[in-house]
Amino acid sequence: ELKVEQNPLFLSMQEGKNYTIYCNYSTTSDRLYWYRQDPGKSLESLFVLLSNGAVKQEGRLMASLDTKARLSTLHITAAVHDLSATYFCAVYGQNFVFGPGTRLSVLP
Amino acid sequence: DAGVIQSPRHEVTEMGQEVTLRCKPISGHNSLFWYRQTMMRGLELLIYFNNNVPIDDSGMPEDRFSAKMPNASFSTLKIQPSEPRDSAVYFCATLADSIEAFFGQGTRLTVV
């Protein structure tokens, strides 16, 4: 059974700081997704990572994938308040399983 | 494309009533997923269709829940009879072979 873990589950950080969210998964997969969810809203697609060593960047967010370690990271650079949200990773294998989410609060 | 369309957006119903949630996937997306989101349990995968065929329904909580996908452009999730513990946001998501996966806006269900 595919299991997806994230850490930390809660993250409070100051504006301007850097931090990394980690996503571990239990079985082999070639697709790893990152989503953002604002309170009361749906999930918005951020990144799709399709191969070992894949790296994608959009603004202050950068995602990477290590399929051998079954690990993906979401790195936040110079955080701003607008990045406050819950971030989910998801793994597509035999189905599409989500991690528990990381609730990020960026404080002024 | 208008994206994944779910209806209704909000539903309030009394315990014991039948509830039907609807999803129209993005045209050409051959996989469809139903999720339930609650504060306590996060995002739970309920059922997964591929090419209109149910592939994995192990997440369906009990016999009160059923899902159908009669054709490539429509799916329903039905709860009969509904109970207060079914209160949650239900999301439909669709995915194409081309990789991108998108979520609908969700249906917020309240069972009183």
Side-chain angles (χ1 to χ4, degrees):
Chain A
E1 179 186 350
L2 174 59
K3 294 187 186 299
V4 182
E5 297 178 342
Q6 288 181 237
N7 73 83
L9 299 182
F10 299 93
L11 176 57
S12 182
M13 57 190 298
Q14 287 188 313
E15 283 191 326
K17 299 293 186 182
N18 304 332
Y19 208 83
T20 300
I21 299 170
Y22 297 88
C23 172
N24 293 88
Y25 53 98
S26 61
T27 64
T28 302
S29 173
D30 60 358
R31 296 191 200 176
L32 192 292
Y33 297 75
W34 284 96
Y35 286 86
R36 168 182 173 145
Q37 186 179 36
D38 292 297
K41 303 292 187 182
S42 184
L43 282 81
E44 173 191 354
S45 178
L46 294 174
F47 301 109
V48 183
L49 303 169
L50 301 176
S51 61
N52 188 42
V55 177
K56 291 195 174 179
Q57 183 164 4
E58 181 73 32
R60 301 176 187 274
L61 300 178
M62 183 174 69
S64 66
L65 178 61
D66 180 344
T67 58
K68 293 179 181 177
R70 297 176 187 165
L71 170 69
S72 180
T73 61
L74 180 67
H75 187 72
I76 303 156
T77 302
V80 293
H81 180 70
D82 285 351
L83 290 179
S84 297
T86 299
Y87 292 85
F88 292 92
C89 66
V91 177
Y92 183 75
Q94 291 187 325
N95 48 33
F96 198 18
V97 178
F98 280 74
T102 297
R103 185 175 297 178
L104 171 65
S105 295
V106 181
L107 308 174
Chain B
D1 201 316
V4 179
I5 300 174
Q6 290 187 245
S7 64
R9 294 289 307 276
H10 302 273
E11 176 81 26
V12 180
T13 190
E14 291 186 346
M15 182 174 62
Q17 296 298 306
E18 177 180 297
V19 176
T20 299
L21 311 181
R22 297 173 175 81
C23 176
K24 177 176 167 48
I26 294 173
S27 178
H29 282 206
N30 58 345
S31 294
L32 184 144
F33 305 84
W34 281 100
Y35 291 90
R36 177 170 68 177
Q37 187 176 38
T38 61
M39 288 294 293
M40 292 297 295
R41 301 172 72 95
L43 264 169
E44 301 174 275
L45 176 62
L46 300 177
I47 188 168
Y48 158 36
F49 292 89
N50 187 255
N51 293 322
N52 313 336
V53 176
I55 302 300
D56 183 358
D57 65 354
S58 59
M60 297 286 264
E62 47 198 271
D63 291 345
R64 298 185 297 106
F65 285 69
S66 62
K68 294 182 179 180
M69 192 164 185
N71 56 60
S73 51
F74 185 63
S75 178
T76 59
L77 177 68
K78 185 179 294 187
I79 309 172
Q80 166 64 21
S82 57
E83 297 182 2
R85 59 192 168 122
D86 302 331
S87 298
V89 180
Y90 290 81
F91 287 105
C92 173
T94 69
L95 183 150
D97 288 340
S98 59
I99 311 301
E100 285 280 1
F102 296 97
F103 277 72
Q105 291 303 302
T107 295
R108 183 173 297 274
L109 173 65
T110 303
V111 183
V112 298

